[in-house]
Amino acid sequence: MSKGRFGKHGGQYIPETLMNAVIELEEAYDKYKNDPEFNAELTEMLNEYAGRPSRLYYAERMTKDLGGAKVYLKREDLNHTGAHKINNVIGQMLLAKRMGKTRVIAETGAGQHGVATATVAAMMGMECEIFMGKEDIERQALNVYRMKLLGAKVHSVTSGTGTLKDAVSETMREWTNRIDDTHYVLGSVMGPHPFPTIVRDFQAVISKEIKEQMLEKEGRLPDVVMACVGGGSNAIGTFYNFIEDENVRLIGCEAAGRGIHTNETAATINVGKLGIFHGMKSYFCQDEYGQIAPVYSISAGLDYPGIGPEHADLYDKGRAEYVAITDDEAVDAFEYLSKTEGIIPAIESSHAVAYAKKIVPTLPKDQIVVVTISGRGDKDVAAIARYRGEDLYE
Amino acid sequence: MNKKIKEAFQNGKAFIPFITAGDPSLEITEKLVYAMEAAGADLIEIGIPFSDPTAEGPVIQEANIRALSNGITTDDVFHMVEKIRKNSEIPLVFMTYANVVFSYGTERFIKRAAEIGMDGLILPDVPYEEKEEFDVVCRKYGLDFISLIAPTSHERIRMVAKEAQGFVYCVSSLGVTGTRSEITTDVDSMVKLVKEVGDIPVAVGFGISNPETAKKMAEVSDGAIVGSAIVKLCAKYGEDCVEPVGEFVREMKLAIG
């Protein structure tokens, strides 16, 4: 069996042209992951540049309103660039610099990963090119301009459905074209080994902090931690340090789009089957002949037909639960958190908030639920306004 | 090793065209196979369309989309090959992506491919490290699982070549499939590395679009693979592509001798 397996998932299903690149990356990561100097620089940047640790906020009004378990919000939206994506980007860029790379490329869906990559590239003086689906460029115009402002070149990807999966395909194609000086900053816990492991390790800071903060505030572990799942990076970050704590429920919230019984959905665990795509074996939304499905979600960041291999394995083992949240439920939750707590969550994160709204009232008052707010929702305001029938200029 | 693939390299330098099944239609794909055989093709790669072909440039990506919009499925392609085999014995290999094979059931796919008379399988998203789950089954049914080497392979070439079956597919350039103005890789050295390890034919592909480049690549190897340049003709002429493709193949085979 090849490297980078999570149960039967994972692996390195990529063109031969890229094999030495991922091997080089794996070797660099193995060399630096326990290097004190590397880790000191990483922590320094996470703290001083990205603004970590992010707050674990007790959502008192939401708790009272839902009338069940106590709700805490892990505020990844407060990070510099407004999402959890920067945790992974800083880690990978420090690695890329040590590998002697001068140029980075990345895919982006909602634009959050693209913005984070462009930001750190600007700060480190590296050349940066972002690949974004044509459809998403229209949905997330504000983030496109932010990336340009940060000095990145943004490529519009017109192939396929013009969304996240096509942006990943196109970034992979570009990587095969120029490898020597270029690192692919993959934005989620997906793709070929070692990406799912590297990205997970850099995002694991989320659960490391939740654990410390929860012990400090409540003197015990939470009963439930939950997060939204597209590829699954903020969710694995939220889960990782609790995987061994078997009394902590892990819940991933997928995008059901218009519903898991329609064709317009992106809920991979709920409707997908085992397959091989984008470098990994995992679950994918696909037809009976293995053609990847043109998935749909209101959220550009969750609009992806696959899920990271470690999530697929956590699901197989029954260690984590994966639920599906529709567009309507997510939009309601977007508005709910804005009005109840004065926090405008990203539409991606709103999927987790929506499930919290469902589950919290059913749980006893002495239980504690942590919901990761993976990003802030400023980027989504215009789209939500349009969803509600208001024509808003961005 | 599959006997027919071996024979494909015993008629001077091999010319290996690629076409996407179902572009513009399966009827035309079948006719293309006959026309290319008549024009001197030694082995033909038949692409089973995939929705997201990550190793392809725009020309073959679009051919995949055209074929899928025609509703072409893997079973349809199998039926077409069954028909072809009533009229032609030319060596044939499938070129597709891992998920097309895996989702069909790897053993079910390979068994069926062998039954209908296919000779080999190329999966560009399955490198040496992942080949076992496909290679073992291919050997069981007498299909050659074709290995690829790339300009970035360096020390991996020996490792890949040692276990290669049929022929080694030498990727001439960085990037995806598609025509290029020139090939700058030292293909000669790559081929020599393969030959150090074993006596297996090496065919060069990616970026070959004219007789001059084909000749140059065939001179340092055992054959030339051409995809995008042919698929472009299919796109341009549609239902009328059989004649121009045949002509192009004749010209290319003539050039490489």
Side-chain angles (χ1 to χ4, degrees), chain A residues 55-257:
Chain A
R55 297 300 168 125
L56 183 67
Y57 166 76
Y58 170 44
E60 195 175 351
R61 270 175 50 84
M62 186 173 167
T63 300
K64 275 196 186 126
D65 180 63
L66 296 177
K70 204 167 174 181
V71 180
Y72 280 88
L73 305 177
K74 180 59 175 167
R75 301 288 310 276
E76 291 299 303
D77 58 314
L78 294 179
N79 295 336
H80 180 41
T81 71
H84 72 291
K85 292 290 185 188
I86 198 159
N87 304 332
N88 164 50
V89 171
I90 289 175
Q92 282 199 45
M93 297 281 270
L94 286 175
L95 208 52
K97 211 171 80 181
R98 278 169 170 75
M99 290 165 71
K101 306 287 180 184
T102 54
R103 172 177 177 259
V104 290
I105 53 173
E107 86 292 346
T108 198
Q112 292 304 96
H113 178 59
V115 167
T117 307
T119 297
V120 182
M123 194 266 272
M124 288 189 178
M126 283 168 102
E127 197 186 329
C128 177
E129 292 183 35
I130 303 296
F131 294 81
M132 187 168 184
K134 184 177 172 282
E135 185 80 13
D136 292 339
I137 283 184
E138 284 161 18
R139 284 197 279 192
Q140 302 285 353
L142 194 64
N143 271 344
V144 175
Y145 194 75
R146 285 168 82 193
M147 289 183 265
K148 289 181 183 163
L149 199 59
L150 292 158
K153 190 171 171 195
V154 181
H155 298 272
S156 174
V157 178
T158 52
S159 58
T161 48
T163 58
L164 182 52
K165 89 171 156 76
D166 309 294
V168 173
S169 295
E170 211 50 43
T171 319
M172 283 183 170
R173 290 183 183 118
E174 173 56 24
W175 204 22
T176 62
N177 200 33
R178 193 168 153 189
I179 300 172
D180 268 2
D181 66 345
T182 301
H183 174 65
Y184 177 5
V185 185
L186 222 159
S188 194
V189 285
M190 47 155 294
H193 173 71
F195 284 107
T197 300
I198 292 183
V199 179
R200 177 253 279 154
D201 288 353
F202 289 138
Q203 291 295 357
V205 67
I206 300 173
S207 50
K208 181 176 165 276
E209 287 176 7
I210 294 174
K211 212 167 193 177
E212 289 164 3
Q213 291 163 328
M214 189 53 71
L215 286 171
E216 196 185 301
K217 285 175 195 288
E218 297 278 353
R220 69 177 188 92
L221 296 181
D223 299 282
V224 180
V225 295
M226 52 199 291
C228 63
V229 181
S233 72
N234 95 87
I236 212 81
T238 301
F239 296 170
Y240 188 64
N241 287 287
F242 294 109
I243 292 174
E244 306 286 308
D245 301 309
E246 289 189 4
N247 293 326
V248 181
R249 273 177 77 185
L250 314 175
I251 304 177
C253 306
E254 300 191 314

Side-chain angles (χ1 to χ4, degrees), chain A residues 254-276:
Chain A
E254 300 191 314
R258 300 211 160 88
I260 57 171
H261 301 296
T262 73
N263 286 326
E264 294 174 293
T265 181
T268 307
I269 292 280
N270 282 274
V271 306
K273 60 173 186 159
L274 192 63
I276 298 170

Side-chain angles (χ1 to χ4, degrees), chain A residues 2 5 11-17 19-20 23 159 165 169 173 176 274-277 281 286 289-292, chain B residues 49-54 56 61 68 73 75 99 103 124-125 127 129-130 133 148 150 152-153 155-156 174-175:
Chain A
S2 68
R5 291 284 169 171
Q12 296 178 300
Y13 299 87
I14 47 171
E16 168 63 23
T17 306
M19 275 312 297
N20 264 330
I23 290 169
S159 58
K165 89 171 156 76
S169 295
R173 290 183 183 118
T176 62
L274 192 63
I276 298 170
F277 184 49
K281 191 176 273 182
Q286 54 184 307
Y289 287 103
Q291 308 296 344
I292 303 303
Chain B
F50 180 52
S51 54
D52 300 81
T54 48
E56 313 295 349
Q61 279 180 48
L68 289 173
T73 70
D75 282 318
N99 203 45
S103 70
D125 56 346
E129 279 75 359
E130 302 292 351
E133 66 182 284
L148 293 94
T152 50
S153 297
E155 77 290 350
R156 293 171 53 82
L174 291 177

Side-chain angles (χ1 to χ4, degrees), chain B residues 7 77-78 86 99 114 134 144 147 152-153 163 172 174 218 235 244:
Chain B
E7 284 168 6
V77 179
F78 287 157
K86 286 180 185 146
N99 203 45
F134 301 97
D144 282 340
S147 298
T152 50
S153 297
E163 294 180 21
S172 75
L174 291 177

